[in-house]
Amino acid sequence: MFQSKLPVGVLPAAIALVLSLAFAPGAAAQEDPEAPAPEVALSPVPAGAPTVAGAASRADDDNFMLLREAARQNDDARANAIASRLPVTNYLLASYVDYYRLKPRLRDAIQDEVLQVLRRHEGTAVAEQLRAEWLMELGKRREWNTFEREAGTLAQSGSLPIRCYALLAKAERGERVADEARALLKTPAGYGDACGALIAQLVANGQFTEADLLTQLRLAGLDNASGPARRAAVLLGLPETRATQAVDLPAVAMARGIGNSRAERELYLVAVGRMARTTLRLAVAGLEKNSAQLTAEERAIGWANVALAASIVLAPEAHAYWDRANGAPLSDFQMQWKTRMALRRGDWKTVRATIESMPPALRADSTWVYWLGRAHQGEGRPAEARAQWQSIAGQTTFYTQLAQEELGNQVVAPPPIAPITAAELAQATANQSLQRAIKFYDLRLRAEGNREWSWGLRNLSERQLLAAAELARRNELLDRMVETSLRTRTELSYDQRFPAPHLDVLRPTAQGLSLDKAWVYGLIRQESRFIRDARSGVGASGLMQVMPATGKWVAAKIGLNNFVTSMLNDLHVNITLGANYMTMVLNNFEGSQVLATAAYNAGPSRSRTWRSRLDAPMEGAIFVETIPFTETRGYVRNVMANATNYASIFEGKPQSLKARLGTITPRPSTSVLD
């Protein structure tokens, strides 16, 4: 989405109706722990009741929406009353009636009631959702027998808290789970009470040492997670207020001094890292002042914290800080930024060494496979480089496209797939999870629809996935079509993966602006997945996710009188405003699609700032990989890969992603956008 003011070209005025999308349900209110749970019998609803999405009456759908809201508010009596008005045998969402009826009192529900619903709807998305919520309650109550009997695959693939509870159950029995816990506990911001309890238990039974707690304290500082930092500090024998200060008030913590114990010194280093995020100079000064009181490893840890902060703002001195951090234990996040800064310097030896030191799961990411290949190439080992690239070569994503090009192959759209047959489409239509998903989309409950749709795709063959994607297309669910088709590995349908709807509107707009329509479609695909009435959490609207203030500014520039925000949901208005803005930022950045794409997502001023950090021309792929914002980095990757694929379709000839990325020069640009 673009968040800056912008100018534009031409367009007929049109006013669209405001179409609001209901996204993920909000968190339910906390129920009164003193209130007794009323005894309510659950209505039996067959899991496989045959029906179709349009069979229910509008009254049933209205009642269902009321039931959902009552459940969200933990209003047990109201939920039960509304549920009793809904059909139990021929309503497509009957399984959710059971779920919403039980949800308000799940915390105090009798086990047999929960099991009754789970068994009735076993193998469905709603049963898995209920199971996950119930496991959280069982974990809080330490009812491990039931937890372990019901957890199944969620013990390994569920949410982080559920996986922590699964390990906690074993740890309380005395099983050795420290290694599994270390591999799991890397993101303190998502721990919650479950992971906190796991850490405390591992300390209590001697499986976690002081070194483990110091690691957790360090990770909490890097993650800006004061709660986990406090818990780690208490287990280390420190006042929890000291940890809060180190994370939230680093200047106060640094002024307190370095302390005497190893734990106190680690807190000081956390404060140095937090200070470096706001005032790099003060963090460096504090670390240098107290350097003599630190061990060699502690000094390295401090410089790693400083180096990370310097890297995130692309400060030129980051390289020197990483050199001083040699020997420090690095988090995954730090490893990636150390690698990125080595890329900017062309230090292939450090790129290779740092990637090879990454944990296996991180090292296997296509990003680091590609750059490890480049490091081998840079160090004169072409055979090793080719082996890396061949392991990920493909034609759809950013790094697989780049790997293909390193192997001498450009992006070429594959031939069309064999048409989906009537029998294949009928099988997809009969999939009840997909039916329920379509019903949810009709009710504008996109989060529930997406969950059901994903559930319905489990264990499908490639042809079945393609048929499901065709079903999505026929229901005007282009985002589901794209996501479903992307799951195939050998039979690739570019018609499904890279659709070009509304070409009659976009083509003349792009031609009039001399704008690359492949790039426009690449951006739309990333922005909205072709959901015409998409709305972001910050209010961006429509196919091209135009912000209200931006739309108003553009409308004034192009002479669109009487503009109102609801016009952003008009197809013509949205495309014209977005396309004209793309043209403006492109011109403002001397034709660099990389810089213009970054500007569309993060704003022109940020894109110019990142460019200003260059002191020499830089390869486009390296510039993209070192964009400081995680969201914008992924956004630019995806848009540029999308555009290359679209160009291969529109032009019918091989395309080069590397050529599209080009070289980013340090020349500053004069902007009229901010």
Side-chain angles (χ1 to χ4, degrees), residues 35-43 76-81 84 101-102 104-106 108-113 116:
E39 297 183 7
V40 180
L42 296 171
S43 304
D76 179 39
R78 187 162 179 260
N80 188 58
S84 66
R101 192 175 218 165
L102 179 61
R105 54 194 181 84
L106 184 59
D108 301 312
I110 298 172
Q111 178 174 301
D112 286 347
E113 291 181 316
Q116 181 184 358

Side-chain angles (χ1 to χ4, degrees), residues 11-67:
L11 142 30
I15 299 179
L17 293 175
V18 177
L19 302 176
S20 60
L21 266 177
F23 287 98
Q30 293 295 313
E31 63 183 3
D32 181 359
E34 301 298 323
E39 297 183 7
V40 180
L42 296 171
S43 304
V45 182
T51 184
V52 294
S57 70
R58 177 51 58 188
D60 288 340
D61 289 344
D62 290 344
N63 278 324
F64 180 81
M65 296 297 286
L66 292 172
L67 169 62

Side-chain angles (χ1 to χ4, degrees), residues 31-250:
E31 63 183 3
D32 181 359
E34 301 298 323
E39 297 183 7
V40 180
L42 296 171
S43 304
V45 182
T51 184
V52 294
S57 70
R58 177 51 58 188
D60 288 340
D61 289 344
D62 290 344
N63 278 324
F64 180 81
M65 296 297 286
L66 292 172
L67 169 62
R68 176 177 177 271
E69 185 59 28
R72 281 159 50 98
Q73 296 177 2
N74 279 338
D75 190 337
D76 179 39
R78 187 162 179 260
N80 188 58
I82 297 170
S84 66
R85 301 201 295 265
L86 283 160
V88 297
T89 58
N90 63 348
Y91 186 51
L92 186 58
L93 303 181
S95 56
Y96 284 83
V97 175
D98 270 1
Y99 166 69
Y100 285 132
R101 192 175 218 165
L102 179 61
K103 183 176 173 62
R105 54 194 181 84
L106 184 59
R107 178 181 299 177
D108 301 312
I110 298 172
Q111 178 174 301
D112 286 347
E113 291 181 316
V114 182
L115 290 174
Q116 181 184 358
V117 176
L118 287 174
R119 301 298 178 258
R120 185 180 303 140
H121 305 294
E122 198 68 65
T124 66
V126 72
E128 196 73 351
Q129 182 178 353
L130 174 61
R131 177 173 283 107
E133 294 175 10
W134 192 39
L135 288 173
M136 289 297 294
E137 295 300 331
L138 292 171
K140 293 173 186 176
R141 301 199 297 254
R142 305 298 195 268
E143 295 182 12
W144 299 130
N145 289 338
T146 306
F147 180 97
E148 293 185 311
R149 187 183 68 240
E150 294 297 321
T153 59
L154 290 177
Q156 290 78 41
S157 62
S159 67
L160 178 59
I162 287 176
R163 286 179 285 164
C164 281
Y165 275 138
L167 290 181
L168 179 58
K170 295 178 180 180
E172 287 192 358
R173 290 197 300 269
E175 295 185 31
R176 306 298 296 180
V177 297
D179 288 344
E180 292 177 79
R182 292 186 187 104
L184 182 65
L185 296 169
K186 293 185 175 184
T187 54
Y191 282 179
D193 292 337
C195 299
L198 172 62
I199 293 171
Q201 179 62 40
L202 292 176
V203 171
N205 63 19
Q207 294 193 53
F208 260 21
T209 65
E210 180 187 50
D212 290 305
L213 288 175
L214 293 172
T215 296
Q216 288 301 314
L217 186 58
R218 192 177 311 132
L219 289 172
L222 293 172
D223 224 12
N224 194 22
S226 56
R230 288 196 300 271
R231 286 193 287 267
V234 169
L235 291 170
L236 285 163
L238 298 174
E240 63 178 69
T241 54
R242 297 278 297 275
T244 302
Q245 288 177 346
V247 175
D248 298 334
L249 300 168

Side-chain angles (χ1 to χ4, degrees), residues 265-481:
R265 293 196 298 274
E266 190 66 56
L267 266 185
Y268 181 82
L269 298 176
V270 167
V272 166
R274 297 309 306 166
M275 175 62 75
R277 297 293 186 98
T278 57
T279 312
L280 189 61
R281 178 180 56 81
L282 292 180
V284 170
L287 185 56
E288 288 182 331
K289 176 183 177 182
N290 292 287
S291 180
Q293 301 178 58
L294 299 169
T295 67
E297 182 184 52
E298 289 167 348
R299 285 195 295 273
I301 290 170
W303 287 116
N305 290 345
V306 169
L308 176 63
S311 298
I312 290 172
V313 295
L314 305 178
E317 56 267 38
H319 302 300
Y321 298 150
W322 282 119
D323 289 341
R324 299 180 75 172
N326 187 42
L330 302 181
S331 70
D332 291 0
F333 192 57
Q334 286 174 314
M335 287 184 193
Q336 293 179 83
W337 270 107
K338 182 179 180 181
T339 307
R340 291 184 182 114
M341 297 311 288
L343 283 174
R344 290 177 72 89
R345 188 166 46 174
D347 180 357
W348 294 115
K349 180 180 178 181
T350 298
V351 169
R352 175 183 53 77
T354 309
I355 294 174
E356 288 178 342
S357 69
M358 291 177 178
L362 179 59
R363 190 169 66 242
D365 185 277
S366 63
T367 302
W368 306 119
V369 172
Y370 172 78
W371 288 115
L372 182 57
R374 288 288 302 276
H376 284 311
Q377 182 187 56
E379 292 187 295
R381 291 187 291 271
E384 289 90 336
R386 290 184 64 83
Q388 291 293 320
W389 296 326
Q390 286 169 345
S391 72
I392 61 169
Q395 290 191 334
T396 58
T397 64
F398 187 81
Y399 279 112
T400 58
Q401 285 181 9
L402 289 177
Q404 279 278 34
E405 288 201 50
E406 298 293 350
L407 295 168
N409 306 311
Q410 293 189 338
V411 175
V412 179
I417 63 169
I420 301 300
T421 67
E424 288 173 323
L425 185 60
Q427 183 183 37
T429 304
N431 184 315
Q432 287 228 325
S433 285
L434 301 187
Q435 285 188 31
R436 282 189 287 269
I438 292 170
K439 179 66 175 179
F440 277 128
Y441 294 132
D442 181 59
L443 294 174
R444 300 187 178 226
L445 299 177
R446 183 159 291 276
E448 289 91 334
N450 289 350
R451 184 165 50 245
E452 279 286 353
W453 190 273
S454 294
W455 188 264
L457 301 181
R458 295 174 313 132
N459 304 317
L460 296 189
S461 68
E462 294 214 342
R463 287 296 297 183
Q464 289 171 326
L465 288 169
L466 294 170
E470 173 61 16
L471 177 65
R473 184 189 69 79
R474 296 194 180 199
N475 282 275
E476 298 183 350
L477 299 168
L478 297 189
D479 63 313
R480 293 303 94 197
M481 178 186 73

Side-chain angles (χ1 to χ4, degrees), residues 513-532:
L513 296 166
S514 298
L515 189 63
D516 177 11
K517 68 178 182 291
W519 182 42
V520 181
Y521 271 112
L523 185 140
I524 293 174
R525 184 179 184 271
Q526 179 63 22
E527 282 286 354
S528 65
R529 278 294 198 263
F530 307 103
I531 303 172
R532 288 182 56 171

